[in-house]
Amino acid sequence: MTDSDYMARALALAARGKGYTSPNPCVGAVVVQKGQIIGQGFHPKAGNPHAEVVAIDDAAARHPDKLAGAAIYVTLEPCHHFGKTPPCTHKILNAGIRRVVVACKDPNPVAGGGIEFLRENGLEVVSGVMEQDALTLIEDFVWNVQNTTTPFVTLKCAATLDGYIATRTGDSQWITSRASRNFGHELRHQNDAILIGSGTLRGDDPSLTARIEGKQTCDPARIILDTRLKIRENATVVVQKSTAPTIIVTGPGCDSGKVQRLQEKGVRILECRVFENLLDLNDLMIKLRKLSITSLLIEGGGRVAASALAAGVVNKICYFLAPKIMGGNDGVPVFNGAGPEKIKEVFELARVTTRQFGSDMLVTGYIEQQNRAGNGGR
């Protein structure tokens, strides 16, 4: 097996922690001695032991005679600082490991320096093995290290081949396959919060929880854009039991009595600026980041999706295409609002990948910084 083979295993382990480790990155590690994996692990939760510690302890418990002189493969540069846990570099050094293979360097300067420390202490360190895969896995963490003012935002869309999310009557169940919907719940689990508009809330009365059969998931915080606070006080997001909070985003001057009643039910009211009669999404992103929300999934309808793009707050798009055709021009479009006048002004996705879910196709791409636009809201 090659370095890439062992790193692929470490990345698969790291992915098992996705959704549980925020605000930490998900990390995986594999300990190898003479071509045999003798220990493995991943970071399960913020505040818990790091992946390197779990993997080394696993190897020490199962193969104590094989740990000295072994190699360790880790998806992120081992930390070299004292935080809630001791430095992983010391754990590696004290274990007698002689070779360290790293996928990507730690973008956090506070935790970095691990590679240099290990090399200074005589260990062989190889860096950059499956680097892009590792960076993609922790893209929200990387974004928040480099940008401390707004969360990493993913816009999820699901449409027919001719670009509709519902019929003219509003019927939308179900455009995509069960496999696509299941992955949608995985995205909810992986993000700190989920956002929809008041129209989607009124039409669907969703729970906005993460439900994956056979998996204990983390519900995202539920964020509702409701400029005039028209939400029903018995809406599912208000009365359901969940460990995650419900946050209703409003403009100024809403009914104070209704605000108090909702707050008594555990709902948080977040007031934001209004821009051209719509909530200012740029102002909202700053406020959400101050609430320690580092990753956000937008699942709103056509107006919210278009507003998010126009506001320039979207980093990533997950676009599900179902092999279905409305065959008319009176359905509900995936984006609802004024578009650009010229093709050169459209949003162009970079680093595009495709993936099959049942009969559906998922197109994933990124909006680069220079292609993120100006102001907008809901």
Side-chain angles (χ1 to χ4, degrees), residues 104-178:
C104 64
K105 293 184 177 181
D106 196 327
N108 188 345
V110 175
I115 290 176
E116 289 79 5
F117 172 81
L118 292 171
R119 283 176 175 159
E120 288 170 0
N121 282 273
L123 275 67
E124 177 191 355
V125 181
V126 178
S127 180
V129 177
M130 299 190 72
E131 180 179 30
Q132 189 55 57
D133 297 82
L135 288 172
T136 299
L137 188 62
I138 60 169
E139 58 193 5
D140 50 347
F141 172 75
V142 174
W143 169 264
N144 283 283
V145 168
Q146 299 171 347
N147 182 330
T148 60
T149 58
T150 62
F152 183 88
V153 178
T154 301
L155 173 62
K156 182 179 83 70
C157 310
T160 61
L161 291 179
D162 45 354
Y164 293 105
I165 61 175
T167 67
R168 64 177 179 275
T169 65
D171 182 36
S172 62
Q173 296 183 357
W174 295 104
I175 285 179
T176 55
S177 66
R178 179 179 294 273

Side-chain angles (χ1 to χ4, degrees), residues 96-367:
I97 288 172
R98 301 307 303 165
R99 185 169 188 259
V100 181
V101 182
V102 175
C104 64
K105 293 184 177 181
D106 196 327
N108 188 345
V110 175
I115 290 176
E116 289 79 5
F117 172 81
L118 292 171
R119 283 176 175 159
E120 288 170 0
N121 282 273
L123 275 67
E124 177 191 355
V125 181
V126 178
S127 180
V129 177
M130 299 190 72
E131 180 179 30
Q132 189 55 57
D133 297 82
L135 288 172
T136 299
L137 188 62
I138 60 169
E139 58 193 5
D140 50 347
F141 172 75
V142 174
W143 169 264
N144 283 283
V145 168
Q146 299 171 347
N147 182 330
T148 60
T149 58
T150 62
F152 183 88
V153 178
T154 301
L155 173 62
K156 182 179 83 70
C157 310
T160 61
L161 291 179
D162 45 354
Y164 293 105
I165 61 175
T167 67
R168 64 177 179 275
T169 65
D171 182 36
S172 62
Q173 296 183 357
W174 295 104
I175 285 179
T176 55
S177 66
R178 179 179 294 273
S180 295
R181 299 196 300 275
N182 287 344
F183 186 72
H185 280 275
E186 182 66 40
L187 290 175
R188 291 182 179 184
H189 163 72
Q190 293 178 2
N191 283 269
D192 290 343
I194 181 173
L195 180 149
I196 65 169
S198 56
T200 299
L201 185 74
R202 287 194 300 270
D204 299 341
D205 191 27
S207 64
L208 302 182
T209 55
R211 305 180 299 279
I212 304 173
E213 186 176 353
K215 182 174 183 177
Q216 185 176 356
T217 56
C218 295
D219 286 342
R222 296 167 293 276
I223 301 170
I224 316 299
L225 302 183
D226 191 357
T227 309
R228 297 166 187 83
L229 200 60
K230 293 184 177 180
I231 186 173
R232 292 185 294 104
E233 294 178 40
N234 64 344
T236 298
V237 294
V238 173
V239 300
Q240 71 183 354
K241 293 181 179 180
S242 173
T243 56
T246 292
I247 302 170
I248 301 178
V249 186
T250 70
C254 291
D255 182 345
S256 59
K258 190 172 185 179
V259 167
Q260 182 176 348
R261 292 193 300 274
L262 288 167
Q263 289 175 331
E264 290 172 351
K265 293 183 178 182
V267 175
R268 177 162 188 168
I269 306 298
L270 184 62
E271 186 177 305
C272 278
R273 293 197 306 252
V274 173
F275 179 81
E276 295 183 354
N277 296 318
L278 298 174
L279 290 167
D280 186 335
L281 295 185
N282 287 281
D283 182 42
L284 174 59
M285 294 304 115
I286 294 171
K287 285 182 165 62
L288 293 181
R289 187 66 181 85
K290 290 179 179 179
L291 294 177
S292 298
I293 292 174
T294 62
S295 57
L296 173 68
L297 177 67
I298 296 179
E299 271 195 14
R303 287 187 65 189
V304 170
S307 295
L309 282 178
V313 302
V314 178
N315 299 87
K316 178 180 181 179
I317 293 182
C318 291
Y319 197 126
F320 288 93
L321 277 171
K324 299 174 182 177
I325 298 174
M326 289 282 186
N329 65 353
D330 58 353
V332 180
V334 66
F335 296 105
N336 188 355
E341 294 182 357
K342 300 180 183 298
I343 290 295
K344 67 179 182 180
E345 298 170 346
V346 304
F347 293 93
E348 184 173 356
L349 300 185
R351 293 180 283 146
V352 176
T353 59
T354 59
R355 184 175 172 184
Q356 199 84 21
F357 284 94
S359 58
D360 304 333
M361 180 70 71
L362 170 63
V363 179
T364 301
Y366 297 82
I367 299 180

